[in-house]
Amino acid sequence: MTTIDVKVLDPRMADQLPAYATPGSAGLDLRACLDQPLELAPGQAALIPTGLAVHIGDPGLAAMLLPRSGLGHKHGIVLGNLVGLIDSDYQGPLMVSCWNRGSAAFTVQPMERIAQMVIVPVVQAAFRRVESFEASDRGTGGFGSTGRG
Ligand SMILES: O=c1ccn([C@H]2C[C@H](O)[C@@H](COP(=O)(O)OP(=O)(O)OP(=O)(O)O)O2)c(=O)[nH]1
Ligand SMILES: [Mg+2]
């Protein structure tokens, strides 16, 4: 198990550090540290604090923020940036852009679980400039070049 430093920015999160809900969970639920309910009109997005800061510290790791499937599918509550990427050297407050992509208003309740965070491995690459690539089977074909279905 990898250990990541976390700061509690909102005292309500002191006994709710990120934790896997089941032994096989990939995601860690993040909560909306709001003082009052926040209504999101259809199409509206809001940046919501999670009450936490994390410092991943290892350039070989990052965190990705993803929607919770129930909120996204049933209520249209996804992320305004579609996916949040947390750099390993970021030390600021962990924020969630909550976007109501649905057609009905949705009220986010204080401390409700609004998104999930996945810790993922990252490969940092160096780029070597070349004039031509070694031939590959695909070559330059893309964007449907192999057919639709
Ligand atoms: O959903 C998110 C996305 C990002 N961040 C934080 C952590 C991340 O490391 C930092 C920068 O994110 P990103 O690089 O995606 O945003 P940017 O618009 O490129 O900002 P910057 O110029 O600061 O890199 O913002 C969050 O708290 N939540
Ligand atoms: Mg950036």
Side-chain angles (χ1 to χ4, degrees):
M1 184 83 81
T2 299
T3 301
I4 290 176
D5 288 347
V6 59
K7 267 193 206 172
V8 174
L9 304 180
D10 184 312
R12 291 174 294 179
M13 291 303 295
D15 53 0
Q16 309 218 56
L17 294 189
Y20 296 103
T22 66
S25 291
L28 302 141
D29 285 341
L30 298 173
R31 294 178 183 273
C33 278
L34 297 167
D35 294 330
Q36 55 205 26
L38 175 68
E39 182 175 301
L40 290 177
Q44 193 184 350
L47 203 51
I48 300 180
T50 63
L52 298 173
V54 292
H55 180 213
I56 298 169
D58 177 351
L61 297 174
M64 293 175 83
L65 307 192
L66 301 172
R68 293 185 64 214
S69 52
L71 282 182
H73 180 69
K74 294 185 199 153
H75 302 286
I77 298 300
V78 294
L79 305 183
N81 44 357
L82 303 187
V83 174
L85 180 61
I86 312 302
D87 298 286
S88 70
D89 53 358
Y90 180 69
Q91 299 182 322
L94 199 54
M95 306 291 289
V96 173
S97 172
C98 240
W99 172 36
N100 182 356
R101 63 155 185 83
S103 49
F106 182 86
T107 301
V108 182
Q109 299 297 336
M111 308 317 286
E112 177 171 7
R113 292 172 296 148
I114 46 168
Q116 54 186 330
M117 174 168 73
V118 182
I119 308 298
V120 293
V122 168
V123 175
Q124 283 191 335
F127 289 86
R128 172 173 58 104
R129 186 176 169 183
V130 296
E131 295 306 324
S132 59
F133 294 129
E134 193 179 316
S136 72
D137 286 351
R138 173 177 287 274
T140 58
F143 300 91
S145 68
T146 63
R148 185 173 135 163

